[in-house]
């Protein structure tokens, strides 16, 4: 497998002027979130709409992951879909990110920038897309197979999806956030997969990242109490080899240190009295 290399990034795509922007667009960093992680009913209803739209965008873009397509074309599809539905693509202009979704191919763990590279037969492509609609964000991603993918990689993708499902099932009011990572890592360890540590799930709502951290590995460090009405993402990144990573000079693209493949899945969740409701379903 040829290691990925940076390719040409096209000019920034315009967003119609009438679509409201998040406060952080083209600023060095977003404002610090100071609100509650527990959302009121009205905010939750707005999040349902934003999350559903993000999920529809994820599935639409994913349906175009085929050999020969460029990741820039995938970005165009996602960008136009969100704009056509009155939403702003949350990543566009976030801390300087130049595109409307992240496209992470093969050994890219996360935050790949869509560019002129063509998807090849046997690649896997993670599409991470977030919709800002009516003042709130809905964040989701999934890993898609292009053409004839080898068995080892296909199993990695299936098991990463299963790891997310297990993490979601672990969410119960009264438990600690750390239970999620404990469940995910214990499952991933069965197969010898590396579990990425430094990139985590996060609180989300009116803020893209609220400050709440949801680790995917077993650590007692983050032990916030899970409460009814909280909204956050779970988004495990599992690697065929080491959990260690390197970053490209672009300051965004994170790749596995050993060059082996990585898969990821993400949902935005609402904590309910009995567990978690997945908001990012189409």
């Amino acid at each position: 497998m040829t290691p990925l290399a940076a390719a040409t990034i096209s000019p920034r795509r315009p967003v119609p002027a009438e679509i409201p922007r998040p406060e952080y667009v083209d600023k060095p960093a977003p404002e610090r979130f100071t609100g509650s992680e527990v959302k009121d009913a009205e905010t939750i209803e707005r999040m349902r709409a934003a999350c559903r739209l993000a999920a529809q965008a994820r599935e639409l873009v994913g349906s175009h992951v085929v050999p020969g397509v460029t990741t820039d074309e995938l970005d165009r599809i996602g960008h136009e879909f969100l704009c056509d539905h009155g939403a702003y693509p949350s990543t566009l202009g976030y801390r300087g990110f130049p595109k409307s979704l992240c496209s992470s191919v093969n050994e890219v763990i996360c935050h790949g920038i869509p560019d002129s590279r063509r998807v090849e037969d046997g690649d896997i492509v993670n599409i991470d897309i977030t919709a800002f609609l009516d003042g709130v964000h809905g964040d989701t991603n999934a890993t898609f197979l292009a053409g004839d993918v080898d068995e080892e990689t296909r199993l990695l993708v299936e098991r990463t999806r299963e790891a997310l499902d297990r993490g979601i099932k672990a969410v119960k009011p009264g438990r600690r956030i750390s239970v999620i990572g404990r469940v995910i890592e214990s499952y991933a360890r069965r197969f010898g997969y590396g579990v990425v540590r430094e990139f985590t799930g996060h609180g989300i709502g009116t803020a893209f990242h609220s400050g709440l951290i949801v680790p995917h590995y077993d650590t007692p460090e983050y032990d916030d109490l899970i409460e009814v009405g909280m909204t956050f993402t779970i988004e495990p990144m599992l690697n065929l080899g080491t959990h260690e990573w390197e970053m490209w000079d672009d300051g965004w693209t994170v790749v596995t240190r050993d060059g082996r493949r990585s898969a990821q899945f993400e949902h935005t969740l609402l904590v309910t009295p009995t567990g978690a409701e997945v908001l990012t379903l189409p």
Side-chain angles (χ1 to χ4, degrees):
M1 189 181 79
T2 309
L4 285 179
T8 305
I9 298 172
S10 66
R12 180 162 161 173
R13 294 190 160 86
V15 176
E18 65 272 15
I19 294 177
R21 272 78 169 146
E23 56 79 21
Y24 55 71
V25 171
D26 293 331
K27 294 180 183 172
E31 292 172 6
R32 189 166 171 272
F33 178 73
T34 55
S36 172
E37 297 293 348
V38 174
K39 310 303 189 294
D40 60 37
E42 186 267 342
T43 303
I44 289 167
E45 283 312 304
R46 286 188 286 142
M47 286 191 68
R48 286 186 201 284
C51 287
R52 189 179 310 117
L53 189 66
Q56 290 166 351
R58 177 196 70 218
E59 295 306 303
L60 173 66
V61 177
S63 72
H64 288 83
V65 173
V66 294
V69 71
T70 64
T71 51
D72 186 66
E73 171 68 5
L74 298 174
D75 180 78
R76 183 194 65 77
I77 292 164
H79 176 91
E80 291 182 359
F81 178 83
L82 291 182
C83 292
D84 287 349
H85 289 81
Y88 186 91
S90 298
T91 60
L92 188 64
Y94 176 80
R95 294 181 181 268
F97 192 81
K99 290 293 170 183
S100 299
L101 55 80
C102 301
S103 57
S104 300
V105 179
N106 297 343
E107 71 267 29
V108 179
I109 294 170
C110 59
H111 303 158
I113 301 174
D115 61 22
S116 61
R117 180 190 180 275
R118 293 192 181 277
V119 173
E120 296 178 4
D121 185 55
D123 282 352
I124 56 172
V125 184
N126 180 274
I127 298 297
D128 191 340
I129 191 161
T130 307
F132 180 72
L133 182 68
D134 202 10
V136 295
H137 300 267
D139 187 6
T140 184
N141 76 55
T143 301
F144 298 92
L145 312 181
D148 186 18
V149 175
D150 68 83
E151 179 75 356
E152 182 183 46
T153 302
R154 199 177 52 72
L155 285 171
L156 172 71
V157 173
E158 281 180 18
R159 289 164 177 166
T160 306
R161 185 190 283 113
E162 173 68 17
L164 171 60
D165 290 344
R166 288 174 182 237
I168 293 168
K169 287 190 178 79
V171 175
K172 297 276 191 298
R175 290 181 172 177
R176 299 285 171 178
I177 282 284
S178 54
V179 71
I180 297 167
R182 193 175 316 131
V183 165
I184 289 171
E185 187 167 47
S186 70
Y187 176 71
R189 204 184 288 127
R190 289 191 208 171
F191 311 104
Y193 296 153
V195 182
V196 176
R197 299 176 168 223
E198 291 81 1
F199 301 92
T200 67
H202 53 89
I204 186 169
T206 55
F208 192 176
H209 302 91
S210 69
L212 176 70
I213 291 173
V214 183
H216 305 115
Y217 66 105
D218 190 0
T219 174
E221 185 181 353
Y222 303 101
D223 65 347
D224 297 76
L225 186 69
I226 298 173
E227 300 177 70
V228 174
M230 288 172 88
T231 50
F232 54 81
T233 72
I234 304 178
E235 46 185 295
M237 291 146 261
L238 303 187
N239 303 343
L240 283 176
T242 181
H243 67 86
E244 296 179 336
W245 53 273
E246 295 171 350
M247 189 177 285
W248 284 4
D249 292 343
D250 62 23
W252 284 105
T253 307
V254 178
V255 295
T256 57
R257 183 162 289 175
D258 58 9
R260 300 191 72 193
R261 290 183 166 189
S262 179
Q264 184 186 17
F265 286 86
E266 173 186 21
H267 279 308
T268 297
L269 310 173
L270 166 68
V271 181
T272 69
T274 56
E277 177 188 344
V278 177
L279 298 180
T280 38
L281 296 176

